[in-house]
Amino acid sequence: MKKSTFLIFATYIWIKTLLGLTFRPLATVRQVTRRPILLPVVFSPFIGLSILFVLGRIGAYLIDVYELKRELISLFLGTALISIALWQALLLYLLASFIFAFWRR
């Protein structure tokens, strides 16, 4: 398999699993526990959160924003932070419960 074909295939699987985690987290986490190679996809919200922090710091360094715009940006980033953190907590809870159930069986 050529590198470009493998990259396209890996990107497709990653996006497919990430969309499954977004719209059907219970079923997708169950599939991830059956195929441990997909385990890093569960941590995608944490990766997105890290990217959000880095972009926020770069933006704060490069752009000076005042008054209402600054409040809107902080509202958007705060909402994104809470949403992504809660989504990551849900995914970790589901992953832990499935691993525990699999281990118990």
Side-chain angles (χ1 to χ4, degrees):
M1 190 182 303
K2 295 195 299 190
K3 287 183 180 180
S4 61
T5 307
F6 178 73
L7 182 65
I8 291 170
F9 175 71
T11 304
Y12 168 74
I13 294 297
W14 189 282
I15 290 173
K16 179 184 170 195
T17 308
L18 193 57
L19 284 173
L21 287 172
T22 304
F23 296 111
R24 298 175 293 119
L26 186 66
T28 307
V29 170
R30 186 179 302 143
Q31 290 174 355
V32 167
T33 55
R34 292 180 186 155
R35 296 180 190 96
I37 193 76
L38 297 173
L39 193 61
V41 180
V42 173
F43 297 102
S44 291
F46 180 71
I47 295 168
L49 195 59
S50 302
I51 291 171
L52 183 70
F53 276 125
V54 168
L55 291 177
R57 292 309 320 156
I58 291 172
Y61 181 72
L62 295 176
I63 302 169
D64 287 332
V65 181
Y66 299 104
E67 298 176 14
L68 184 61
K69 291 180 185 177
R70 185 176 189 99
E71 292 174 6
L72 290 175
I73 290 171
S74 66
L75 179 67
F76 172 74
L77 291 176
T79 305
L81 169 72
I82 292 170
S83 301
I84 293 173
L86 289 175
W87 184 34
Q88 182 68 61
L90 170 71
L91 294 178
L92 290 176
Y93 170 74
L94 291 173
L95 182 68
S97 66
F98 280 122
I99 289 175
F100 183 69
F102 182 73
W103 175 71
R104 223 172 146 187
R105 189 184 323 161

